[in-house]
Short mmCIF file of all heavy atoms in Angstrom, two decimals:
data_model
loop_
_atom_site.label_atom_id
_atom_site.label_comp_id
_atom_site.label_asym_id
_atom_site.label_seq_id
_atom_site.Cartn_x
_atom_site.Cartn_y
_atom_site.Cartn_z
N MET V 1252 41.12 136.62 25.97
CA MET V 1252 40.24 137.28 26.88
C MET V 1252 38.79 136.98 26.47
O MET V 1252 38.43 137.19 25.35
CB MET V 1252 40.52 138.79 26.82
CG MET V 1252 39.70 139.58 27.76
SD MET V 1252 39.96 141.42 27.72
CE MET V 1252 41.67 141.65 27.40
N ASP V 1253 38.05 136.43 27.40
CA ASP V 1253 36.65 136.07 27.08
C ASP V 1253 35.76 137.28 27.05
O ASP V 1253 36.14 138.38 27.50
CB ASP V 1253 36.11 134.96 27.95
CG ASP V 1253 35.86 135.35 29.39
OD1 ASP V 1253 35.92 136.56 29.70
OD2 ASP V 1253 35.63 134.47 30.20
N ALA V 1254 34.56 137.18 26.56
CA ALA V 1254 33.64 138.29 26.38
C ALA V 1254 33.27 138.99 27.66
O ALA V 1254 33.23 140.21 27.72
CB ALA V 1254 32.40 137.85 25.64
N ALA V 1255 33.01 138.24 28.71
CA ALA V 1255 32.63 138.84 29.97
C ALA V 1255 33.76 139.70 30.56
O ALA V 1255 33.53 140.81 31.09
CB ALA V 1255 32.24 137.77 30.98
N VAL V 1256 34.97 139.19 30.48
CA VAL V 1256 36.12 139.94 31.01
C VAL V 1256 36.38 141.16 30.09
O VAL V 1256 36.69 142.24 30.62
CB VAL V 1256 37.40 139.03 31.08
CG1 VAL V 1256 38.63 139.81 31.44
CG2 VAL V 1256 37.17 137.91 32.08
N LYS V 1257 36.20 141.01 28.80
CA LYS V 1257 36.40 142.11 27.89
C LYS V 1257 35.47 143.28 28.22
O LYS V 1257 35.88 144.45 28.22
CB LYS V 1257 36.20 141.65 26.45
CG LYS V 1257 36.52 142.68 25.42
CD LYS V 1257 36.43 142.15 24.01
CE LYS V 1257 36.80 143.24 23.02
NZ LYS V 1257 36.82 142.77 21.66
N VAL V 1258 34.21 142.95 28.51
CA VAL V 1258 33.27 144.00 28.91
C VAL V 1258 33.70 144.73 30.14
O VAL V 1258 33.64 145.96 30.22
CB VAL V 1258 31.83 143.37 29.06
CG1 VAL V 1258 30.87 144.36 29.72
CG2 VAL V 1258 31.31 142.89 27.71
N LYS V 1259 34.19 143.96 31.14
CA LYS V 1259 34.64 144.59 32.39
C LYS V 1259 35.89 145.43 32.15
O LYS V 1259 36.03 146.50 32.75
CB LYS V 1259 34.90 143.51 33.42
CG LYS V 1259 33.60 142.93 33.96
CD LYS V 1259 33.82 141.91 35.03
CE LYS V 1259 32.48 141.32 35.48
NZ LYS V 1259 32.61 140.34 36.54
N VAL V 1260 36.80 144.98 31.31
CA VAL V 1260 38.03 145.78 31.00
C VAL V 1260 37.60 147.08 30.32
O VAL V 1260 38.17 148.13 30.63
CB VAL V 1260 38.99 144.97 30.11
CG1 VAL V 1260 40.11 145.88 29.59
CG2 VAL V 1260 39.59 143.78 30.89
N GLU V 1261 36.65 147.01 29.41
CA GLU V 1261 36.17 148.22 28.77
C GLU V 1261 35.59 149.22 29.78
O GLU V 1261 35.80 150.40 29.72
CB GLU V 1261 35.13 147.91 27.69
CG GLU V 1261 35.77 147.25 26.48
CD GLU V 1261 34.76 146.85 25.41
OE1 GLU V 1261 33.54 147.07 25.60
OE2 GLU V 1261 35.22 146.30 24.38
N LYS V 1262 34.86 148.66 30.78
CA LYS V 1262 34.27 149.51 31.79
C LYS V 1262 35.39 150.13 32.66
O LYS V 1262 35.30 151.28 33.09
CB LYS V 1262 33.31 148.72 32.67
CG LYS V 1262 31.99 148.42 31.97
CD LYS V 1262 31.04 147.69 32.90
CE LYS V 1262 29.70 147.46 32.20
NZ LYS V 1262 28.72 146.84 33.11
N ILE V 1263 36.42 149.36 32.93
CA ILE V 1263 37.57 149.88 33.69
C ILE V 1263 38.21 151.01 32.90
O ILE V 1263 38.51 152.08 33.45
CB ILE V 1263 38.60 148.78 33.98
CG1 ILE V 1263 38.01 147.77 34.98
CG2 ILE V 1263 39.92 149.36 34.47
CD1 ILE V 1263 38.85 146.49 35.16
N LEU V 1264 38.40 150.82 31.61
CA LEU V 1264 39.02 151.85 30.80
C LEU V 1264 38.16 153.10 30.69
O LEU V 1264 38.70 154.21 30.58
CB LEU V 1264 39.35 151.28 29.41
CG LEU V 1264 40.42 150.18 29.40
CD1 LEU V 1264 40.64 149.72 27.96
CD2 LEU V 1264 41.72 150.64 30.00
N ARG V 1265 36.84 152.95 30.71
CA ARG V 1265 35.97 154.11 30.68
C ARG V 1265 35.83 154.76 32.03
O ARG V 1265 35.27 155.83 32.17
CB ARG V 1265 34.59 153.69 30.21
CG ARG V 1265 34.47 153.57 28.72
CD ARG V 1265 33.01 153.42 28.28
NE ARG V 1265 32.91 152.28 27.41
CZ ARG V 1265 32.42 151.09 27.73
NH1 ARG V 1265 31.90 150.89 28.91
NH2 ARG V 1265 32.37 150.12 26.86
N GLY V 1266 36.35 154.10 33.09
CA GLY V 1266 36.25 154.68 34.46
C GLY V 1266 34.97 154.30 35.19
O GLY V 1266 34.70 154.83 36.25
N GLU V 1267 34.18 153.37 34.65
CA GLU V 1267 32.94 152.96 35.29
C GLU V 1267 33.21 152.01 36.44
O GLU V 1267 32.38 151.93 37.38
CB GLU V 1267 32.03 152.31 34.25
CG GLU V 1267 31.61 153.28 33.14
CD GLU V 1267 30.89 152.57 32.01
OE1 GLU V 1267 30.52 151.36 32.13
OE2 GLU V 1267 30.69 153.22 30.96
N ILE V 1268 34.28 151.24 36.38
CA ILE V 1268 34.67 150.32 37.41
C ILE V 1268 36.08 150.69 37.82
O ILE V 1268 36.93 150.97 36.97
CB ILE V 1268 34.65 148.85 36.94
CG1 ILE V 1268 33.26 148.39 36.49
CG2 ILE V 1268 35.17 147.93 38.04
CD1 ILE V 1268 33.25 147.01 35.89
N ARG V 1269 36.36 150.68 39.11
CA ARG V 1269 37.70 150.97 39.59
C ARG V 1269 38.42 149.66 39.83
O ARG V 1269 37.91 148.76 40.51
CB ARG V 1269 37.62 151.78 40.89
CG ARG V 1269 38.96 152.18 41.40
CD ARG V 1269 38.91 153.58 41.97
NE ARG V 1269 40.14 153.96 42.61
CZ ARG V 1269 41.18 154.51 41.93
NH1 ARG V 1269 41.08 154.68 40.68
NH2 ARG V 1269 42.27 154.84 42.56
N TYR V 1270 39.64 149.54 39.27
CA TYR V 1270 40.44 148.33 39.45
C TYR V 1270 41.89 148.76 39.64
O TYR V 1270 42.39 149.58 38.91
CB TYR V 1270 40.31 147.39 38.24
CG TYR V 1270 41.19 146.18 38.40
CD1 TYR V 1270 40.87 145.18 39.25
CD2 TYR V 1270 42.38 146.07 37.65
CE1 TYR V 1270 41.72 144.03 39.41
CE2 TYR V 1270 43.21 144.99 37.79
CZ TYR V 1270 42.86 143.98 38.68
OH TYR V 1270 43.70 142.87 38.83
N THR V 1271 42.52 148.16 40.65
CA THR V 1271 43.97 148.37 40.88
C THR V 1271 44.67 147.04 40.91
O THR V 1271 44.29 146.16 41.70
CB THR V 1271 44.16 149.12 42.21
OG1 THR V 1271 43.42 150.35 42.18
CG2 THR V 1271 45.63 149.46 42.43
N SER V 1272 45.63 146.89 40.08
CA SER V 1272 46.42 145.68 39.97
C SER V 1272 47.60 145.72 40.96
O SER V 1272 48.02 146.81 41.36
CB SER V 1272 46.92 145.52 38.54
OG SER V 1272 47.86 144.46 38.46
N ALA V 1273 48.10 144.55 41.27
CA ALA V 1273 49.32 144.49 42.08
C ALA V 1273 50.54 144.77 41.19
O ALA V 1273 51.66 145.01 41.70
CB ALA V 1273 49.45 143.12 42.75
N ASN V 1274 50.33 144.77 39.89
CA ASN V 1274 51.42 144.98 38.92
C ASN V 1274 51.43 146.45 38.48
O ASN V 1274 50.48 146.90 37.89
CB ASN V 1274 51.18 144.05 37.71
CG ASN V 1274 52.30 144.14 36.72
OD1 ASN V 1274 52.38 145.10 35.98
ND2 ASN V 1274 53.16 143.13 36.70
N LEU V 1275 52.53 147.07 38.78
CA LEU V 1275 52.66 148.53 38.41
C LEU V 1275 52.52 148.77 36.95
O LEU V 1275 51.86 149.76 36.49
CB LEU V 1275 53.99 149.07 38.95
CG LEU V 1275 54.29 150.54 38.65
CD1 LEU V 1275 53.25 151.43 39.29
CD2 LEU V 1275 55.67 150.90 39.12
N ALA V 1276 53.14 147.97 36.12
CA ALA V 1276 53.07 148.19 34.65
C ALA V 1276 51.63 148.11 34.15
O ALA V 1276 51.22 148.90 33.28
CB ALA V 1276 53.97 147.16 33.95
N PHE V 1277 50.84 147.18 34.67
CA PHE V 1277 49.45 147.03 34.26
C PHE V 1277 48.65 148.25 34.72
O PHE V 1277 47.81 148.77 33.96
CB PHE V 1277 48.86 145.73 34.79
CG PHE V 1277 47.55 145.34 34.15
CD1 PHE V 1277 47.45 145.14 32.81
CD2 PHE V 1277 46.43 145.19 34.92
CE1 PHE V 1277 46.28 144.76 32.20
CE2 PHE V 1277 45.20 144.82 34.36
CZ PHE V 1277 45.13 144.61 32.98
N ASN V 1278 48.90 148.73 35.92
CA ASN V 1278 48.22 149.94 36.41
C ASN V 1278 48.57 151.15 35.52
O ASN V 1278 47.72 151.95 35.20
CB ASN V 1278 48.62 150.25 37.83
CG ASN V 1278 47.96 149.35 38.83
OD1 ASN V 1278 46.88 148.84 38.60
ND2 ASN V 1278 48.61 149.15 39.97
N MET V 1279 49.80 151.24 35.12
CA MET V 1279 50.25 152.35 34.28
C MET V 1279 49.58 152.27 32.89
O MET V 1279 49.15 153.31 32.35
CB MET V 1279 51.78 152.36 34.13
CG MET V 1279 52.50 152.76 35.40
SD MET V 1279 54.27 152.59 35.35
CE MET V 1279 54.70 153.79 34.11
N LEU V 1280 49.45 151.05 32.37
CA LEU V 1280 48.77 150.88 31.09
C LEU V 1280 47.31 151.30 31.20
O LEU V 1280 46.79 152.01 30.32
CB LEU V 1280 48.89 149.43 30.63
CG LEU V 1280 48.17 149.10 29.31
CD1 LEU V 1280 48.85 149.86 28.14
CD2 LEU V 1280 48.19 147.59 29.04
N ILE V 1281 46.64 150.89 32.24
CA ILE V 1281 45.23 151.24 32.44
C ILE V 1281 45.09 152.75 32.53
O ILE V 1281 44.21 153.33 31.88
CB ILE V 1281 44.67 150.55 33.73
CG1 ILE V 1281 44.50 149.03 33.49
CG2 ILE V 1281 43.32 151.18 34.10
CD1 ILE V 1281 44.18 148.28 34.74
N SER V 1282 45.90 153.41 33.30
CA SER V 1282 45.90 154.86 33.45
C SER V 1282 46.12 155.56 32.11
O SER V 1282 45.42 156.52 31.76
CB SER V 1282 46.95 155.37 34.44
OG SER V 1282 46.65 154.89 35.72
N LYS V 1283 47.09 155.07 31.37
CA LYS V 1283 47.41 155.65 30.06
C LYS V 1283 46.21 155.54 29.13
O LYS V 1283 45.84 156.51 28.45
CB LYS V 1283 48.61 154.96 29.45
CG LYS V 1283 49.05 155.53 28.08
CD LYS V 1283 50.32 154.90 27.58
CE LYS V 1283 49.98 153.67 26.77
NZ LYS V 1283 51.17 153.11 26.10
N MET V 1284 45.61 154.35 29.11
CA MET V 1284 44.46 154.11 28.22
C MET V 1284 43.26 155.01 28.66
O MET V 1284 42.57 155.57 27.80
CB MET V 1284 43.98 152.65 28.25
CG MET V 1284 45.00 151.70 27.66
SD MET V 1284 45.19 151.96 25.92
CE MET V 1284 46.91 152.34 25.86
N GLN V 1285 43.03 155.14 29.94
CA GLN V 1285 41.95 155.98 30.45
C GLN V 1285 42.13 157.44 30.02
O GLN V 1285 41.18 158.10 29.57
CB GLN V 1285 41.86 155.89 31.95
CG GLN V 1285 41.29 154.59 32.46
CD GLN V 1285 41.35 154.45 33.96
OE1 GLN V 1285 42.20 155.02 34.63
NE2 GLN V 1285 40.44 153.64 34.51
N LYS V 1286 43.36 157.94 30.14
CA LYS V 1286 43.63 159.33 29.75
C LYS V 1286 43.47 159.52 28.26
O LYS V 1286 42.90 160.55 27.80
CB LYS V 1286 45.06 159.72 30.16
CG LYS V 1286 45.20 159.88 31.66
CD LYS V 1286 46.67 160.19 32.03
CE LYS V 1286 46.85 160.14 33.55
NZ LYS V 1286 48.21 160.21 33.93
N ARG V 1287 43.95 158.56 27.48
CA ARG V 1287 43.83 158.68 26.02
C ARG V 1287 42.39 158.59 25.56
O ARG V 1287 41.98 159.36 24.65
CB ARG V 1287 44.67 157.58 25.32
CG ARG V 1287 46.16 157.83 25.49
CD ARG V 1287 47.02 156.71 25.04
NE ARG V 1287 46.93 156.54 23.59
CZ ARG V 1287 47.45 155.46 22.98
NH1 ARG V 1287 48.05 154.52 23.64
NH2 ARG V 1287 47.32 155.31 21.66
N LEU V 1288 41.59 157.74 26.19
CA LEU V 1288 40.16 157.68 25.85
C LEU V 1288 39.44 158.95 26.23
O LEU V 1288 38.62 159.45 25.44
CB LEU V 1288 39.50 156.47 26.55
CG LEU V 1288 39.71 155.12 25.92
CD1 LEU V 1288 39.21 154.02 26.86
CD2 LEU V 1288 38.98 155.03 24.60
N LYS V 1289 39.73 159.46 27.39
CA LYS V 1289 39.08 160.68 27.87
C LYS V 1289 39.41 161.89 26.94
O LYS V 1289 38.57 162.69 26.66
CB LYS V 1289 39.49 161.01 29.32
CG LYS V 1289 38.74 162.08 29.98
CD LYS V 1289 39.06 162.18 31.45
CE LYS V 1289 38.18 163.22 32.10
NZ LYS V 1289 38.46 163.29 33.53
N ALA V 1290 40.64 161.93 26.50
CA ALA V 1290 41.07 163.00 25.60
C ALA V 1290 40.52 162.84 24.21
O ALA V 1290 40.55 163.77 23.41
CB ALA V 1290 42.61 163.08 25.55
N GLY V 1291 40.07 161.63 23.89
CA GLY V 1291 39.52 161.38 22.56
C GLY V 1291 40.57 161.11 21.49
O GLY V 1291 40.28 161.15 20.33
N SER V 1292 41.79 160.86 21.91
CA SER V 1292 42.87 160.63 20.95
C SER V 1292 42.87 159.22 20.39
O SER V 1292 43.53 158.98 19.38
CB SER V 1292 44.23 160.95 21.57
OG SER V 1292 44.47 160.12 22.69
N VAL V 1293 42.20 158.30 21.03
CA VAL V 1293 42.05 156.93 20.53
C VAL V 1293 40.65 156.40 20.78
O VAL V 1293 39.90 157.00 21.56
CB VAL V 1293 43.05 155.96 21.22
CG1 VAL V 1293 44.52 156.31 20.88
CG2 VAL V 1293 42.84 155.86 22.70
N ASP V 1294 40.30 155.32 20.13
CA ASP V 1294 39.00 154.73 20.36
C ASP V 1294 39.18 153.44 21.20
O ASP V 1294 40.29 152.99 21.43
CB ASP V 1294 38.26 154.40 19.04
CG ASP V 1294 39.04 153.43 18.16
OD1 ASP V 1294 40.20 153.07 18.49
OD2 ASP V 1294 38.48 153.05 17.11
N MET V 1295 38.06 152.89 21.65
CA MET V 1295 38.11 151.71 22.53
C MET V 1295 38.78 150.51 21.84
O MET V 1295 39.53 149.75 22.46
CB MET V 1295 36.69 151.35 23.02
CG MET V 1295 36.65 150.17 23.97
SD MET V 1295 37.60 150.41 25.50
CE MET V 1295 36.52 151.53 26.35
N GLU V 1296 38.54 150.37 20.56
CA GLU V 1296 39.11 149.21 19.80
C GLU V 1296 40.65 149.25 19.84
O GLU V 1296 41.30 148.27 20.04
CB GLU V 1296 38.62 149.26 18.34
CG GLU V 1296 39.05 148.07 17.54
CD GLU V 1296 38.51 148.11 16.14
OE1 GLU V 1296 37.38 148.60 15.93
OE2 GLU V 1296 39.25 147.62 15.25
N THR V 1297 41.21 150.44 19.66
CA THR V 1297 42.65 150.63 19.71
C THR V 1297 43.19 150.30 21.10
O THR V 1297 44.23 149.61 21.24
CB THR V 1297 43.02 152.08 19.32
OG1 THR V 1297 42.48 152.36 18.03
CG2 THR V 1297 44.54 152.24 19.30
N CYS V 1298 42.48 150.77 22.14
CA CYS V 1298 42.91 150.49 23.50
C CYS V 1298 42.84 149.00 23.80
O CYS V 1298 43.76 148.47 24.41
CB CYS V 1298 42.01 151.25 24.47
SG CYS V 1298 42.30 153.01 24.51
N MET V 1299 41.79 148.33 23.37
CA MET V 1299 41.66 146.89 23.62
C MET V 1299 42.78 146.12 22.88
O MET V 1299 43.29 145.18 23.41
CB MET V 1299 40.29 146.41 23.23
CG MET V 1299 39.19 146.91 24.12
SD MET V 1299 39.45 146.56 25.88
CE MET V 1299 39.30 144.77 25.93
N LYS V 1300 43.13 146.57 21.69
CA LYS V 1300 44.19 145.90 20.95
C LYS V 1300 45.50 146.01 21.68
O LYS V 1300 46.29 145.11 21.84
CB LYS V 1300 44.31 146.51 19.52
CG LYS V 1300 45.33 145.81 18.69
CD LYS V 1300 45.39 146.39 17.29
CE LYS V 1300 46.50 145.68 16.51
NZ LYS V 1300 46.74 146.31 15.24
N GLU V 1301 45.81 147.24 22.18
CA GLU V 1301 47.04 147.45 22.96
C GLU V 1301 47.03 146.64 24.24
O GLU V 1301 48.04 146.10 24.66
CB GLU V 1301 47.22 148.94 23.25
CG GLU V 1301 48.57 149.26 23.75
CD GLU V 1301 48.88 150.77 23.81
OE1 GLU V 1301 48.27 151.53 23.02
OE2 GLU V 1301 49.73 151.17 24.64
N MET V 1302 45.86 146.57 24.91
CA MET V 1302 45.72 145.77 26.11
C MET V 1302 45.99 144.28 25.83
O MET V 1302 46.72 143.61 26.55
CB MET V 1302 44.31 145.97 26.68
CG MET V 1302 44.07 145.28 28.01
SD MET V 1302 44.87 146.04 29.40
CE MET V 1302 43.98 147.58 29.54
N GLU V 1303 45.42 143.79 24.72
CA GLU V 1303 45.65 142.39 24.32
C GLU V 1303 47.13 142.12 24.07
O GLU V 1303 47.66 141.07 24.45
CB GLU V 1303 44.83 142.05 23.07
CG GLU V 1303 43.33 142.06 23.29
CD GLU V 1303 42.78 140.76 23.78
OE1 GLU V 1303 43.52 139.76 23.88
OE2 GLU V 1303 41.60 140.69 24.04
N GLU V 1304 47.79 143.05 23.39
CA GLU V 1304 49.23 142.90 23.13
C GLU V 1304 50.03 142.84 24.40
O GLU V 1304 50.94 142.03 24.53
CB GLU V 1304 49.72 144.04 22.23
CG GLU V 1304 49.18 143.95 20.81
CD GLU V 1304 49.45 145.21 20.00
OE1 GLU V 1304 50.07 146.19 20.52
OE2 GLU V 1304 49.10 145.22 18.82
N PHE V 1305 49.72 143.71 25.33
CA PHE V 1305 50.42 143.73 26.63
C PHE V 1305 50.21 142.39 27.37
O PHE V 1305 51.17 141.80 27.86
CB PHE V 1305 49.89 144.89 27.50
CG PHE V 1305 50.49 144.94 28.89
CD1 PHE V 1305 51.70 145.57 29.10
CD2 PHE V 1305 49.86 144.31 29.95
CE1 PHE V 1305 52.26 145.61 30.38
CE2 PHE V 1305 50.39 144.34 31.24
CZ PHE V 1305 51.63 145.00 31.43
N LEU V 1306 48.97 141.94 27.42
CA LEU V 1306 48.68 140.72 28.11
C LEU V 1306 49.28 139.50 27.42
O LEU V 1306 49.66 138.51 28.08
CB LEU V 1306 47.15 140.52 28.29
CG LEU V 1306 46.51 141.61 29.18
CD1 LEU V 1306 44.99 141.51 29.12
CD2 LEU V 1306 47.03 141.52 30.63
N ALA V 1307 49.41 139.52 26.11
CA ALA V 1307 50.07 138.40 25.41
C ALA V 1307 51.54 138.38 25.71
O ALA V 1307 52.15 137.30 25.79
CB ALA V 1307 49.83 138.58 23.91
N LYS V 1308 52.13 139.57 25.89
CA LYS V 1308 53.56 139.66 26.17
C LYS V 1308 53.89 139.20 27.60
O LYS V 1308 54.96 138.71 27.90
CB LYS V 1308 54.03 141.09 25.98
CG LYS V 1308 55.52 141.28 25.98
CD LYS V 1308 55.95 142.73 25.83
CE LYS V 1308 55.75 143.21 24.46
NZ LYS V 1308 56.32 144.57 24.28
N TYR V 1309 52.91 139.43 28.53
CA TYR V 1309 53.12 139.12 29.94
C TYR V 1309 51.98 138.18 30.41
O TYR V 1309 51.07 138.61 31.08
CB TYR V 1309 53.17 140.38 30.79
CG TYR V 1309 54.21 141.35 30.33
CD1 TYR V 1309 53.88 142.48 29.59
CD2 TYR V 1309 55.59 141.12 30.64
CE1 TYR V 1309 54.87 143.35 29.16
CE2 TYR V 1309 56.54 141.98 30.19
CZ TYR V 1309 56.21 143.13 29.46
OH TYR V 1309 57.17 143.95 29.01
N PRO V 1310 52.08 136.91 30.08
CA PRO V 1310 51.04 135.95 30.40
C PRO V 1310 50.75 135.78 31.92
O PRO V 1310 49.61 135.46 32.29
CB PRO V 1310 51.46 134.65 29.74
CG PRO V 1310 52.91 134.79 29.55
CD PRO V 1310 53.19 136.25 29.37
N ILE V 1311 51.75 135.93 32.75
CA ILE V 1311 51.51 135.79 34.19
C ILE V 1311 50.66 136.91 34.69
O ILE V 1311 49.72 136.71 35.48
CB ILE V 1311 52.87 135.70 34.94
CG1 ILE V 1311 53.60 134.41 34.56
CG2 ILE V 1311 52.65 135.78 36.44
CD1 ILE V 1311 54.98 134.32 35.09
N VAL V 1312 50.90 138.13 34.23
CA VAL V 1312 50.07 139.25 34.59
C VAL V 1312 48.66 139.02 34.08
O VAL V 1312 47.69 139.26 34.80
CB VAL V 1312 50.65 140.57 33.99
CG1 VAL V 1312 49.69 141.77 34.22
CG2 VAL V 1312 52.03 140.89 34.54
N ALA V 1313 48.55 138.53 32.86
CA ALA V 1313 47.23 138.27 32.28
C ALA V 1313 46.48 137.26 33.14
O ALA V 1313 45.30 137.47 33.45
CB ALA V 1313 47.39 137.76 30.86
N LYS V 1314 47.12 136.19 33.52
CA LYS V 1314 46.48 135.14 34.29
C LYS V 1314 45.90 135.69 35.59
O LYS V 1314 44.72 135.50 35.92
CB LYS V 1314 47.44 134.00 34.55
CG LYS V 1314 46.85 132.88 35.31
CD LYS V 1314 47.86 131.77 35.54
CE LYS V 1314 47.29 130.65 36.38
NZ LYS V 1314 48.27 129.62 36.67
N VAL V 1315 46.72 136.40 36.34
CA VAL V 1315 46.32 136.91 37.64
C VAL V 1315 45.27 138.03 37.52
O VAL V 1315 44.22 137.97 38.14
CB VAL V 1315 47.55 137.41 38.43
CG1 VAL V 1315 47.15 138.14 39.71
CG2 VAL V 1315 48.48 136.29 38.74
N ASP V 1316 45.59 139.03 36.70
CA ASP V 1316 44.70 140.20 36.64
C ASP V 1316 43.40 139.87 35.93
O ASP V 1316 42.35 140.42 36.39
CB ASP V 1316 45.39 141.38 35.98
CG ASP V 1316 46.38 142.02 36.96
OD1 ASP V 1316 45.94 142.38 38.04
OD2 ASP V 1316 47.56 142.14 36.65
N LEU V 1317 43.39 139.07 34.89
CA LEU V 1317 42.11 138.75 34.25
C LEU V 1317 41.21 137.93 35.16
O LEU V 1317 40.01 138.12 35.14
CB LEU V 1317 42.36 138.03 32.92
CG LEU V 1317 43.02 138.90 31.84
CD1 LEU V 1317 43.21 138.08 30.58
CD2 LEU V 1317 42.23 140.19 31.58
N ALA V 1318 41.81 137.12 36.01
CA ALA V 1318 41.02 136.37 36.98
C ALA V 1318 40.40 137.31 38.01
O ALA V 1318 39.22 137.20 38.38
CB ALA V 1318 41.87 135.32 37.68
N ASN V 1319 41.22 138.30 38.44
CA ASN V 1319 40.69 139.31 39.38
C ASN V 1319 39.59 140.17 38.75
O ASN V 1319 38.63 140.51 39.41
CB ASN V 1319 41.84 140.20 39.91
CG ASN V 1319 42.78 139.44 40.79
OD1 ASN V 1319 42.44 138.42 41.35
ND2 ASN V 1319 44.00 139.97 40.93
N ILE V 1320 39.81 140.55 37.52
CA ILE V 1320 38.79 141.37 36.82
C ILE V 1320 37.54 140.61 36.62
O ILE V 1320 36.43 141.14 36.80
CB ILE V 1320 39.37 141.90 35.47
CG1 ILE V 1320 40.46 142.93 35.75
CG2 ILE V 1320 38.26 142.49 34.62
CD1 ILE V 1320 41.25 143.36 34.56
N ALA V 1321 37.63 139.31 36.28
CA ALA V 1321 36.42 138.47 36.13
C ALA V 1321 35.62 138.39 37.41
O ALA V 1321 34.41 138.27 37.34
CB ALA V 1321 36.84 137.10 35.63
N ALA V 1322 36.29 138.48 38.53
CA ALA V 1322 35.63 138.38 39.82
C ALA V 1322 34.96 139.68 40.27
O ALA V 1322 34.24 139.68 41.28
CB ALA V 1322 36.62 137.90 40.89
N LEU V 1323 35.18 140.75 39.56
CA LEU V 1323 34.60 142.05 39.92
C LEU V 1323 33.08 142.02 39.80
O LEU V 1323 32.52 141.39 38.97
CB LEU V 1323 35.11 143.18 39.02
CG LEU V 1323 36.60 143.56 39.24
CD1 LEU V 1323 37.01 144.60 38.22
CD2 LEU V 1323 36.84 144.08 40.64
#
């Protein structure tokens, strides 16, 4: 994930940008991370690590969604 996309993903996780994926699992991950950040149970670094792991596991989702996020 390049730096520009990483910044946008962080904004999505903080709720500053609204993004909805066509992939249900990715949407669920975003929602889970947003709730955990809001509750203060995790920090942004932990969320980004989990996001990277998910995207590494599902490269097709990563390709499509990261391209869409970059275009925001």
Side-chain angles (χ1 to χ4, degrees):
M1252 182 180 323
D1253 69 12
V1256 173
K1257 186 174 182 176
V1258 168
K1259 288 182 180 180
V1260 169
E1261 288 177 0
K1262 286 183 178 185
I1263 290 168
L1264 294 179
R1265 278 192 232 105
E1267 296 170 10
I1268 299 175
R1269 183 142 175 86
Y1270 176 74
T1271 304
S1272 172
N1274 183 285
L1275 178 61
F1277 193 59
N1278 284 333
M1279 290 174 64
L1280 179 65
I1281 290 170
S1282 294
K1283 180 175 90 172
M1284 294 294 119
Q1285 287 173 333
K1286 288 176 188 171
R1287 289 171 67 190
L1288 280 170
K1289 191 173 185 178
S1292 61
V1293 296
D1294 60 354
M1295 183 60 74
E1296 185 179 327
T1297 304
C1298 288
M1299 291 305 293
K1300 183 178 178 189
E1301 192 169 334
M1302 184 73 68
E1303 294 273 356
E1304 290 170 359
F1305 177 86
L1306 295 172
K1308 191 183 285 188
Y1309 303 104
I1311 293 172
V1312 173
K1314 181 180 178 182
V1315 172
D1316 283 306
L1317 293 180
N1319 290 341
I1320 291 170
L1323 292 176

